[in-house]
Amino acid sequence: INYTFEAGQVYFIRGDNGSGKTTLVRILIGLYQANSGRILVNGKEVAEPVTANYRNLFSVVFTDFYLFKRMYGIPPFDEKEAQDLLKLFKMEDKVSIEDGVFSDLNFSTGQRKRLALLVALLEKKQFIILDEWAADQDPEFRQVFYEHIIPKLKEMGKTVIAITHDDQYYGMADQLIYMSNGKPVTVRESA
């Protein structure tokens, strides 16, 4: 795989089950060690993708995410920012955040994923990696995610790499990467 992810762009990765989408992301963020090749950041080779400096570039919400009631490792944040994110994710009437603790986590998987993405945004990292994030959202919020939240993340200067099968929203990405047998088969720029 030879690919460049540019800051502030939105990338969607698609492909059949077992095509290598999640493996690619796990290698990119340093959870898996590549058998060969290298990763470059701003033209400089990353000798050890497992170092804190490198991994601190990424906030990730995997399909098998875990959400704690207390937000660990989050830099100090403005309560208004957290409230604005709760509104963006349509959770402001369901949960509150006080001293870095959610008032409740007894929600559907889709709603819990919204809170996991909220935490990822509060981490203030450049890359937001989402593995089938929208799969557990109801159709109404799935549309909100692609048509309002993705553009908002781009507006915030975030680089979004999202694994998705929602073909009706592929146009929301700057780049669409199609994976097959562990390799990108086609890459297209959004019109």
Side-chain angles (χ1 to χ4, degrees):
I1 294 170
N2 184 5
Y3 198 77
T4 301
F5 293 97
E6 295 181 22
Q9 298 290 295
V10 175
Y11 300 87
F12 288 171
I13 302 173
R14 66 177 283 251
D16 296 331
N17 290 342
S19 64
K21 302 177 302 290
T22 300
T23 300
L24 170 63
V25 166
R26 289 179 186 223
I27 289 171
L28 180 66
I29 65 174
L31 287 179
Y32 288 175
Q33 189 70 31
N35 294 332
S36 63
R38 59 195 181 133
I39 296 173
L40 304 171
V41 175
N42 296 326
K44 295 180 182 167
E45 186 170 352
V46 176
E48 294 283 332
V50 295
T51 63
N53 282 344
Y54 179 74
R55 291 192 51 200
N56 281 335
L57 294 171
F58 304 96
S59 287
V60 183
V61 181
F62 283 113
T63 54
D64 57 351
F65 73 102
Y66 190 82
L67 183 64
F68 293 97
K69 199 164 186 179
R70 174 170 294 285
M71 291 186 261
Y72 294 101
I74 303 295
F77 60 88
D78 181 355
E79 295 292 326
K80 183 185 179 325
E81 179 184 12
Q83 190 61 34
D84 289 346
L85 288 171
L86 285 172
K87 285 180 186 172
L88 180 66
F89 292 115
K90 300 195 181 300
M91 295 293 291
E92 74 274 15
D93 295 332
K94 297 173 177 41
V95 64
S96 62
I97 301 170
E98 189 171 320
D99 296 325
V101 177
F102 290 112
S103 61
D104 189 10
L105 292 180
N106 191 23
F107 300 111
S108 70
T109 302
Q111 290 170 322
R112 289 171 45 83
K113 272 190 174 178
R114 294 180 203 180
L115 296 179
L117 181 50
L118 179 148
V119 172
L121 290 172
L122 290 175
E123 288 180 323
K124 306 281 191 223
K125 297 182 180 177
Q126 174 62 50
F127 287 84
I128 303 294
I129 310 290
L130 304 170
D131 188 358
E132 294 290 347
W133 187 90
D136 294 304
Q137 304 301 323
D138 60 62
E140 179 183 311
F141 195 80
R142 187 177 294 196
Q143 182 177 1
V144 168
F145 171 69
Y146 286 108
E147 294 180 0
H148 299 285
I149 294 174
I150 289 288
K152 177 80 172 165
L153 297 177
K154 186 172 180 172
E155 182 182 298
M156 294 166 66
K158 300 294 182 188
T159 305
V160 178
I161 302 173
I163 296 171
T164 179
H165 292 285
D166 291 327
D167 56 348
Q168 68 270 33
Y169 298 109
Y170 286 166
M172 301 305 296
D174 296 306
Q175 298 277 327
L176 178 63
I177 303 164
Y178 176 66
M179 297 285 296
S180 180
N181 295 318
K183 296 183 173 115
V185 178
T186 57
V187 176
R188 87 151 169 84
E189 288 189 38
S190 199

